[in-house]
Amino acid sequence: MTSKASILIVGATGAVGTQLTAYLAEKNVSFKALTREGAKQTSLIQYKGAEIVHGDLANMNSLKKALEGIKKVFLLTDSSEQAEFLQLNLVKAAKEEGVEHLVKLSQFAADPVSPVRFLRYHGVVEQKIAASGIPYTFLRPNLYMQGLLGFRKLISEQGLFFAPIGNARISLIDIRDIAMVAGEVLTGKGHENRIYDLTGPEAITHEEIAACFSEELGRPIRFINVGPDEMYQELIRFGFPQWQAAGLIEDYAHYARGEAAGVSAAVKTITGRSPRNFRTFAQDYASFF
């Protein structure tokens, strides 16, 4: 039977991808989700119009097969040492298979010459996509509010969280808003060859995050500013790979320099809805903390 789906989601089972597939399903948009053979698929099987296609970003033949009949691709991978290579494989396969629109989830301030490895690889991939001639949309979200779920045990048990950021402001964004934008870009018109910075409605400090948590959780929550070395050691202790832990330290140095405080109107412009503020996130996720 010929598939009706013309959208392929790469990274469908991650935090943003899960929200995106739910959003598309709610809009009755058929899509394919690329997963590796044997990967968990339960979150996708429940959706009418969702098709699972197996493929490996390191295997060009499997990518070309997954891209058969696909017009639009949403590209998201984990931030790893292989991310640039894997994403560029997808770009090459998409070009060869005639994909008409590639929507890449990038990062706020992506730049191929950035001192921050995550921003650098995103910038390189963006550059290659633009040079490929495939019509593109680059979505550049700022720090995820849901990233604080990584501290949920500390916040729940000890009433604290930490970071090497000082009093710098960041315009954090809720991943539900990122997914909503991605869904609208994939199903709408006029987004080709555009770059969108995605942020929340305000730039706030980590002290203000702690104060908001304290009010919404009904108990004192403290933010502790730590040095980069201490943060790195804690990340290693939590099980982060060295490359990724070092990259996160670079990210926080970028935040601490005040380079992630800009506020964008893109979420409202694209979706017609204002982005969620941090208080809404704290209320909606209170049970996690």
Side-chain angles (χ1 to χ4, degrees), residues 235-257:
L235 290 171
I236 295 298
R237 191 170 67 83
F238 289 156
F240 282 79
Q242 290 183 352
W243 185 90
Q244 191 174 34
L248 287 169
I249 297 304
E250 293 170 0
D251 257 349
Y252 274 103
H254 157 67
Y255 302 144
R257 291 191 294 268

Side-chain angles (χ1 to χ4, degrees), residues 9-24 74-78 104-106 139 141-142 144 146 173-183 198:
I9 309 298
V10 179
T13 57
V16 175
T18 299
Q19 295 288 337
L20 172 58
T21 53
Y23 187 78
L24 292 175
F74 176 78
L75 174 58
L76 165 63
T77 65
D78 293 336
K104 170 177 163 52
L105 191 72
S106 186
L139 305 180
N142 210 343
Y144 298 172
Q146 280 78 0
I173 184 167
D174 192 301
I175 61 172
R176 293 172 292 182
D177 292 323
I178 300 171
M180 185 164 54
V181 169
L198 304 181

Side-chain angles (χ1 to χ4, degrees), residues 15 17 29 45 58 86 93 121 133 139 141 162 172 183-184 186 206 216 227 239 243 270 288:
V29 175
I45 292 171
L86 295 174
Y121 94 72
L139 305 180
F162 54 86
L172 299 88
E184 291 300 314
L186 286 165
H206 275 49
E216 296 303 326
W243 185 90
I270 295 167
F288 288 84

Side-chain angles (χ1 to χ4, degrees), residues 61-204:
N61 289 333
S62 72
L63 283 180
K64 288 185 177 183
K65 185 174 181 181
L67 287 164
E68 290 177 0
I70 294 297
K71 294 181 179 180
K72 299 184 179 184
V73 174
F74 176 78
L75 174 58
L76 165 63
T77 65
D78 293 336
S79 289
S80 70
E81 288 183 270
Q82 297 298 311
E84 181 181 322
F85 164 74
L86 295 174
Q87 292 195 15
L88 290 178
N89 264 1
L90 187 281
V91 174
K92 183 179 179 182
K95 177 66 176 178
E96 293 180 5
E97 293 302 309
V99 168
E100 298 173 8
H101 189 189
L102 203 165
V103 180
K104 170 177 163 52
L105 191 72
S106 186
Q107 188 172 339
F108 192 88
D111 187 329
V113 296
S114 172
V116 181
R117 67 193 66 193
F118 300 149
L119 302 184
R120 190 165 58 246
Y121 94 72
H122 279 303
V124 169
V125 175
E126 286 185 357
Q127 206 171 55
K128 294 288 187 180
I129 291 171
S132 76
I134 303 172
Y136 62 83
T137 306
F138 301 146
L139 305 180
R140 293 178 171 177
N142 210 343
L143 180 64
Y144 298 172
M145 293 180 187
Q146 280 78 0
L148 285 157
L149 293 173
F151 290 101
R152 61 184 178 271
K153 186 174 181 180
L154 268 177
I155 293 172
S156 175
E157 297 179 359
Q158 300 183 40
L160 61 86
F161 63 104
F162 54 86
I165 194 170
N167 292 318
R169 294 186 174 273
I170 307 180
S171 50
L172 299 88
I173 184 167
D174 192 301
I175 61 172
R176 293 172 292 182
D177 292 323
I178 300 171
M180 185 164 54
V181 169
E184 291 300 314
V185 168
L186 286 165
T187 58
K189 296 180 179 179
H191 301 292
E192 291 83 0
N193 301 330
R194 301 290 299 274
I195 299 174
Y196 297 120
D197 289 334
L198 304 181
T199 74
E202 59 194 349
I204 59 177

Side-chain angles (χ1 to χ4, degrees), residues 13 39-47 52:
T13 57
K40 293 181 180 179
Q41 302 161 9
T42 52
S43 62
L44 296 168
I45 292 171
Q46 64 180 305
Y47 297 136
I52 305 299

